[in-house]
Structure formats: structure tokens, C-alpha cells
Amino acid sequence: MKTATRHTVVSRAGQSCEICYQPLHVMSLHHRRPRQMGGTRQPWVDEPPNLLAICGTGTTGCHGLIESYRERAYEHGWLLRHGWTPDQTPFADLRGYWWLLEGDRKLQITTPFPAPNPRSIRQDRGIGLTNPGREED
């Protein structure tokens, strides 16, 4: 990945995790549409709309959340299924806002489909889900 692309994504994020807004002390550049085993030669895979600056590693922070709860990650646009395009698929942050990544810009948009209940996700050092069906106090 080009250094300029890394700089663009971190700048777009404002030096904070694009999912939980925590400062990026331990940062990952997360591919929304995975590179797949062995990588891909598609030029867009390392472009800003396919990348999120997020906190943690593959087991900690928001990166750990994505890797541990992949179905939830697809629902929130943090992961993209085959055929979904990064520049046309929004993602949600933990505050319930939906964003569309367009080049090096992040645009807040209206919800294109029913947003998940924001209370169904919690951050316990960046990882974890609440017990489905049980309201938090």
C-alpha cells in the first residue's frame, strides 16, 4: 500500500478510529472488502474508499470487533461481500451515523436501510456484543 494512501485515510479519520472515535494509539488500516487469501491484483483494494482507519489489532479494539463478529461487521458495512463496491456501500459508526467514503472524503448520509439498534453493540475495550434481547441499564 502506498504511503500517500495511508496518510490520506488517517487524515480523513482525523487521527481517530472511524468506528468508535478513540485516538489511534494502536491503529490498523482495515480493508472493508478483504484482499482474500494470497491477495488480489484489483487496483481499488488499496484505495481510500475500501480502507478504514480503526483502533486495535486483529484481536483488540474495533479491528478485533470486526474479526470476531463478522456478520455484524457486514451489517454495519465494516466488511463488504463479493460484489459490493466500497464507494457505494456506507458504513456505520458506533454512534449510529452512516457514512459513505468517496475518494478521500467521508460524507455523512441518511440511513439507506434500517440501521441496527445502536444499543446492540457495546464497546468493552473495543470488543464485544451485548446479550441480544436483553436491554442494557
Side-chain angles (χ1 to χ4, degrees):
M1 178 182 316
K2 297 176 186 174
T3 302
T5 301
R6 295 178 71 83
H7 178 73
T8 297
V9 174
V10 173
S11 293
R12 177 188 73 202
Q15 308 295 321
S16 298
C17 176
E18 292 188 273
I19 295 175
C20 73
Y21 297 97
Q22 295 296 314
L24 290 173
H25 299 298
V26 176
M27 183 209 45
S28 297
L29 284 185
H30 169 68
H31 289 84
R32 297 174 66 207
R33 174 89 180 277
R35 290 177 288 180
Q36 313 265 333
M37 291 187 68
T40 181
R41 294 179 188 211
Q42 298 292 332
W44 55 264
V45 77
D46 285 330
E47 293 298 319
N50 194 48
L51 300 168
L52 291 174
I54 58 176
C55 64
T57 67
T59 59
T60 65
C62 288
H63 200 170
L65 176 71
I66 291 168
E67 296 302 327
S68 297
Y69 300 99
R70 294 183 75 80
E71 276 308 309
R72 182 72 63 172
Y74 285 115
E75 291 171 10
H76 286 76
W78 305 331
L79 283 175
L80 303 179
R81 296 192 188 279
H82 184 73
W84 293 6
T85 57
D87 60 346
Q88 296 178 356
T89 307
F91 77 93
D93 61 27
L94 289 181
R95 295 178 183 168
Y97 293 100
W98 287 86
W99 302 90
L100 190 63
L101 301 175
E102 186 178 270
D104 60 352
R105 299 184 310 155
K106 182 164 69 172
L107 308 170
Q108 184 177 343
I109 61 170
T110 56
T111 306
F113 45 85
N117 179 352
R119 294 186 73 184
S120 69
I121 295 182
R122 69 176 172 82
Q123 184 179 9
D124 179 10
R125 295 188 181 249
I127 301 177
L129 294 175
T130 60
N131 185 354
R134 185 179 142 218
E135 291 292 320
E136 291 184 349
D137 297 328

